Amino acid sequence: MGKNIFLQWMATKTKSYWWNDSGNLDEIRTALENGASGVTLNPLLVKMALFGSSNYWSPKLKSMPKTLKGSEKAEEIVRIITCEIASMVEPIYKKTGGLLGRVCAQVAPDKAFDSDSMLKMAKRLQTWAPNIAVKLPVTNAALDTMEECVALGMTVVMTLGFTVSQAVAVAERYEKAVVHSRANGIEPGRCYAVIMIGRLDDYLREANADNRSKAREDDILLAGVAVTKRAYGLFREKRYKAILLPSGLRTKEQAAELAGGDMLFSISPKIQELSTAFAEPFRENVDIPIKPEIINRLMTIRDFARAYEPDGLDPREFIGYAPTQRTLLQFHEAGWQPLETYEV
């Protein structure tokens, strides 16, 4: 992929900005040339970076203590890879005074229900580099952890978000964390509320077919976008300080639908490549609503209604929401566990 004028336009001419959604070093370099200002990582992306470039990473892992086993070993692998990537974007971090130039470091996915364990790990992750954004899941337990992290000055990315209610819960708790932090004389960290657009769409496609609901395929491809647009409207209406972070885009059109929004995008190399097909003039589409007839068809899928309505889920239901469970399982089994058993 060469010059990407659409992504450069988003990053320089609109309120939108974006991070590279991959740990591949060559892909990160290309993304930075096209306006990326940070890097998204999770256990699966770290595993893919390691296994995809094992000849590069294996010598760097030789310094790991041989006594490390299981989760400690996985965490050390994540640390080594994350720190090198953090150094690639640290110049942006310094140039922008910490506003941009961050890389994500995610807590172990099997701790999503354990606030104390997540807080302890978050404190370790934060020490890895000055530009770490600690990544936590949007579960009821992790909302407590997030509030503590922000009050300690950490920047957090709240991942595994699929619904308006999760985004609002993050924003509300962040408001409290900011007050708490400043009352203690600490500058609060920033907070990003993820909506995993493509993963929500993937699940709703199956639910739609299984329940013989009325949504069409072109409707499904707008489901996560519709959730994001509704959350974005609420964030602006209530003047929340948290920032939405749409991720997991499956089509370039999904990026175009949200273009111009005052939000942070996480964009995979595949979607970056596809978006080179866009031609000027570009448009800011974030305020253009999804057509009512599309929303009406999507609302026949029960779990879309739960995702779309601001009170669709109680925080105690976040961890049990189907897309949350399947993503946690994938991050653990396909991401974290292979790092635990990786032979250096």
Side-chain angles (χ1 to χ4, degrees):
M1 181 179 70
K3 186 176 181 180
N4 190 315
I5 57 174
F6 172 73
L7 292 178
Q8 291 180 4
W9 165 78
M10 277 188 36
T12 61
K13 303 297 184 182
T14 79
K15 292 181 178 180
S16 303
Y17 51 114
W18 66 281
W19 289 357
N20 181 71
D21 195 351
S22 121
N24 178 284
L25 300 184
D26 289 334
E27 292 170 346
I28 292 169
R29 294 185 188 100
T30 299
L32 293 174
E33 291 172 359
N34 283 305
S37 57
V39 178
T40 298
L41 291 178
N42 59 45
L44 183 59
L45 291 176
V46 171
K47 192 282 294 279
M48 292 169 64
L50 174 60
F51 283 65
S53 302
S54 58
N55 289 339
Y56 178 84
W57 289 113
S58 289
K60 295 178 178 293
L61 302 181
K62 294 292 186 182
S63 61
M64 290 173 48
K66 303 300 183 184
T67 55
L68 292 180
K69 304 293 182 183
S71 189
E72 289 184 343
K73 181 179 182 180
E75 185 176 323
E76 181 62 8
I77 292 173
V78 173
R79 186 192 69 80
I80 291 170
I81 293 175
T82 301
C83 285
E84 179 151 344
I85 292 172
S87 70
M88 296 174 69
V89 295
E90 189 172 354
I92 300 173
Y93 174 81
K94 291 180 177 178
K95 182 179 179 180
T96 62
L99 177 63
L100 305 174
R102 292 190 179 270
V103 61
C104 295
Q106 185 167 335
V107 299
D110 63 342
K111 304 300 183 185
F113 57 88
D114 187 338
S115 182
D116 290 339
S117 293
M118 285 187 284
L119 181 59
K120 289 177 182 176
M121 187 170 184
K123 290 178 178 179
R124 294 196 302 273
L125 303 181
Q126 179 66 18
T127 66
W128 290 356
N131 53 334
I132 292 292
V134 172
K135 208 171 191 182
L136 302 165
V138 188
T139 60
N140 195 34
L143 290 174
D144 293 335
T145 307
M146 180 268 283
E147 195 167 342
E148 291 289 334
C149 288
V150 170
L152 292 171
M154 299 184 205
T155 286
V156 295
V157 173
M158 300 302 291
T159 190
L160 275 77
F162 305 92
T163 69
V164 175
S165 54
Q166 285 175 297
V168 168
V170 168
E172 292 282 358
R173 291 295 288 271
Y174 182 58
E175 297 292 313
K176 295 179 180 179
V178 168
V179 172
H180 181 196
S181 176
R182 288 182 174 153
N184 291 332
I186 298 173
E187 183 61 25
R190 289 182 171 81
C191 177
Y192 299 93
V194 171
I195 297 181
M196 305 183 90
I197 288 175
R199 288 178 179 271
L200 176 62
D201 294 351
D202 294 345
Y203 167 70
L204 293 176
R205 181 177 294 107
E206 296 172 7
N208 184 58
D210 187 51
N211 296 315
R212 297 182 176 85
S213 301
K214 298 179 180 178
R216 308 186 310 222
E217 175 59 21
D218 53 341
D219 301 332
I220 297 292
L221 290 173
L222 287 170
V225 170
V227 168
T228 305
K229 288 195 176 196
R230 187 159 201 196
Y232 184 64
L234 287 170
F235 271 45
R236 288 196 298 176
E237 175 189 330
K238 296 180 180 293
R239 299 184 179 181
Y240 288 138
K241 298 179 187 70
I243 299 166
L244 281 176
L245 199 167
S247 71
L249 307 178
R250 296 291 186 258
T251 70
K252 67 182 187 299
E253 288 76 18
Q254 291 174 333
E257 280 282 348
L258 297 169
D262 187 4
M263 59 181 79
L264 169 64
F265 291 72
S266 181
I267 304 179
S268 70
K270 176 184 176 181
I271 300 303
Q272 293 172 41
E273 178 68 38
L274 290 173
S275 69
T276 60
F278 287 132
E280 296 181 278
F282 306 126
R283 292 198 316 164
E284 296 187 13
N285 296 316
V286 68
D287 291 324
I288 299 176
I290 303 299
K291 293 178 180 179
E293 57 269 28
I294 295 175
I295 298 296
N296 289 339
R297 289 192 294 268
L298 286 169
M299 290 292 279
T300 65
I301 310 172
R302 180 174 179 269
D303 272 335
F304 173 79
R306 297 174 77 200
Y308 189 69
E309 297 295 349
D311 59 354
L313 291 175
D314 182 275
R316 292 168 295 183
E317 298 178 287
F318 290 168
I319 198 169
Y321 189 55
T324 301
Q325 276 295 308
R326 61 197 282 171
T327 306
L328 271 174
L329 187 64
Q330 184 191 34
F331 281 2
H332 182 62
E333 293 188 350
W336 195 261
Q337 285 187 334
L339 300 179
E340 293 182 336
T341 56
Y342 184 76
E343 294 295 332
V344 178

